[in-house]
Amino acid sequence: MTKLGLLARIEAKPEYADKVEALLRDALRLAQEEDHTVTWFAFRQSDTTFGVFDTFDDEEGRQAHLRGAIAAALMDAAQTMLSEAPDIRPVDLLAVKLP
């Protein structure tokens, strides 16, 4: 059962918001290549606020994702395109409905 997740809040500098959106859209391909990532969602909350929510069956998968290409791309973006480092928090899932 999918029981673990990550919730990330990403705040872009206004002049880089479109590039952050493109980075997240392009990251879908990377998420699809991760064997242990069950679901992956990128979203936009406002002009400059974005987020990612993803789920995993076990801690090994969650940690592999944190060491993976998407996390590395976000950390690289933080240097220039983000107003602060991404706020990435682990979550425990209480109930899940998947297709």
Side-chain angles (χ1 to χ4, degrees):
M1 178 184 122
T2 302
K3 58 185 178 180
L4 301 175
L6 290 169
L7 180 62
R9 182 179 174 280
I10 302 159
E11 189 65 34
K13 293 178 183 176
E15 65 271 24
Y16 289 104
D18 290 341
K19 288 186 179 185
V20 171
E21 179 180 333
L23 182 146
L24 291 173
R25 286 183 187 275
D26 292 344
L28 174 59
R29 178 186 53 79
L30 298 172
Q32 290 169 331
E33 294 173 359
E34 293 181 348
D35 292 334
H36 298 289
T37 300
V38 177
T39 61
W40 187 87
F41 304 88
F43 55 91
R44 189 173 198 160
Q45 288 183 285
S46 71
D47 289 344
T48 59
T49 304
F50 299 86
V52 174
F53 175 70
D54 31 26
T55 65
F56 313 91
D57 288 333
D58 55 34
E59 187 61 34
E60 180 183 330
R62 181 160 61 181
Q63 291 303 314
H65 180 74
L66 288 169
R67 292 187 305 269
I70 297 171
L74 280 176
M75 292 310 162
D76 286 345
Q79 302 298 317
T80 55
M81 295 192 286
L82 305 184
S83 61
E84 59 193 44
D87 180 10
I88 302 171
R89 297 176 187 230
V91 297
D92 294 332
L93 304 177
L94 302 176
V96 175
K97 178 186 181 283
L98 296 172

